[in-house]
């Protein structure tokens, strides 16, 4: 059963606007969340993370919000750029040392 | 700079062949992982290892085995390749909270 879900397989946004990618999880024991970005034919690269003791983490154009009560996190990219076009994976981890990945959201930023 | 290297970017193998996918990390990480990525299914964990000679099954271990003889190297083995193992394979290593991925191996089984 999928413990981390990304319900939007794709998203298109105009350049300069905000991109919002969503992720839901079911396991309340997850204590760390990450976003990875993946270009075709390359491995995922780490983008931003957040610990469960926080509700927001910001790094330049990227902000991750965590709502523990709703078991929901989101990634905001503002302003969106064409180079942001990629597949974004949400991931969660617990004390088991494993990562649990969502199915990914393909973001297209239209120039 | 962190580096996880997978031995091949692209592989084409025949059904029934034994296939080895190699992964090497230079960060002295204890934890290493093999995932496969398929459209609509995200990254699914095949096997992981938390120490030399230690391995644990992930979500989809059937048809695969692994080997971790040295800390820096984690090998994924397809004992008898089948067409449903055509996929992108990703190796990762992890210490603390972040995982670092290799560039991926696109395997096609014909």
């Amino acid at each position: 059963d999928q413990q981390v879900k990304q319900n939007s397989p794709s998203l298109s946004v105009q350049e300069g606007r905000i991109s919002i990618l969503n992720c839901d999880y079911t396991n309340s024991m997850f204590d760390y969340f990450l976003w990875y970005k993946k270009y075709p034919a390359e491995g995922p690269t780490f983008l931003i993370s957040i610990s469960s003791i926080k509700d927001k983490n910001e790094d330049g154009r990227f902000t991750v919000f965590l709502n523990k009560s709703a078991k929901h996190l989101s990634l905001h990219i503002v302003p969106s750029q064409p180079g942001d076009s990629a597949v974004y994976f949400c991931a969660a981890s617990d004390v088991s040392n494993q990562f649990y990945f969502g199915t990914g959201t393909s973001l297209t930023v239209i120039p | 700079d962190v580096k996880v290297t997978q031995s091949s970017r692209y592989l084409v193998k025949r059904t029934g062949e034994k296939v080895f996918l190699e992964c090497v990390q230079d960060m002295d990480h204890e934890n290493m992982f093999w995932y496969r990525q398929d459209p609509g299914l995200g990254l699914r964990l095949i096997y992981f290892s938390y120490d030399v000679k230690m391995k644990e099954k992930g979500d989809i271990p059937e048809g695969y085995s692994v080997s971790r003889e040295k800390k820096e190297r984690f090998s994924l083995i397809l004992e008898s390749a089948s067409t449903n193992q055509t996929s992108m394979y990703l190796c990762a290593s992890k210490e603390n909270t972040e995982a670092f991925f290799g560039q991926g191996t696109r395997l096609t089984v014909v």
Side-chain angles (χ1 to χ4, degrees):
Chain A
D1 196 23
Q2 194 83 20
Q3 297 191 61
V4 178
K5 297 179 183 179
Q6 294 175 256
N7 292 317
S8 298
S10 62
L11 176 67
S12 290
V13 171
Q14 290 284 342
E15 181 178 4
R17 307 293 285 266
I18 185 171
S19 297
I20 301 176
L21 294 90
N22 294 302
C23 179
D24 296 292
Y25 61 96
T26 57
N27 189 343
S28 57
M29 299 304 292
F30 288 147
D31 59 4
Y32 205 78
F33 304 89
L34 308 92
W35 284 94
Y36 280 83
K37 177 179 178 179
K38 185 181 183 302
Y39 294 115
E42 293 183 15
T45 54
F46 170 76
L47 192 59
I48 193 169
S49 62
I50 188 166
S51 163
S52 60
I53 62 172
K54 291 187 170 184
D55 54 19
K56 178 182 174 181
N57 189 26
E58 194 170 351
D59 184 2
R61 296 185 298 113
F62 303 92
T63 303
V64 56
F65 295 91
L66 175 63
N67 182 335
K68 284 196 298 290
S69 60
K71 295 192 179 67
H72 177 84
L73 67 156
S74 60
L75 174 69
H76 292 210
I77 306 173
V78 55
S80 300
Q81 299 174 354
D84 296 329
S85 297
V87 177
Y88 290 79
F89 290 98
C90 167
S93 69
D94 58 15
V95 294
S96 72
N97 243 347
Q98 290 187 54
F99 280 120
Y100 300 85
F101 283 88
T103 51
T105 296
S106 177
L107 174 66
T108 302
V109 180
I110 304 162
Chain B
D1 207 13
V2 164
K3 196 150 189 176
V4 179
T5 303
Q6 294 181 229
S7 53
S8 304
R9 292 295 298 271
Y10 301 95
L11 275 179
V12 180
K13 297 291 181 181
R14 294 193 181 278
T15 301
E17 273 194 79
K18 190 169 186 176
V19 182
F20 293 86
L21 302 183
E22 307 286 347
C23 176
V24 177
Q25 49 102 356
D26 64 357
M27 296 160 285
D28 204 36
H29 287 169
E30 292 184 345
N31 301 294
M32 295 187 75
F33 304 81
W34 275 106
Y35 294 89
R36 63 178 280 179
Q37 183 203 354
D38 300 287
L41 298 176
L43 275 67
R44 294 182 292 166
L45 181 64
I46 305 171
Y47 267 96
F48 69 101
S49 168
Y50 52 88
D51 202 350
V52 175
K53 296 192 187 296
M54 306 301 285
K55 60 185 180 184
E56 292 284 343
K57 292 180 179 179
D59 299 320
I60 50 164
E62 296 79 18
Y64 304 94
S65 62
V66 289
S67 172
R68 185 115 181 253
E69 295 296 318
K70 293 184 177 181
K71 193 174 187 180
E72 67 269 20
R73 186 179 297 268
F74 191 34
S75 303
L76 179 69
I77 303 153
L78 286 66
E79 298 291 343
S80 177
S82 63
T83 54
N84 63 13
Q85 293 178 309
T86 292
S87 187
M88 167 72 91
Y89 289 87
L90 294 160
C91 173
S93 75
K94 174 178 176 285
E95 199 73 21
N96 299 320
T97 54
E98 188 178 334
F100 299 88
F101 283 86
Q103 76 277 30
T105 298
R106 170 66 67 184
L107 172 67
T108 302
V109 182
V110 297

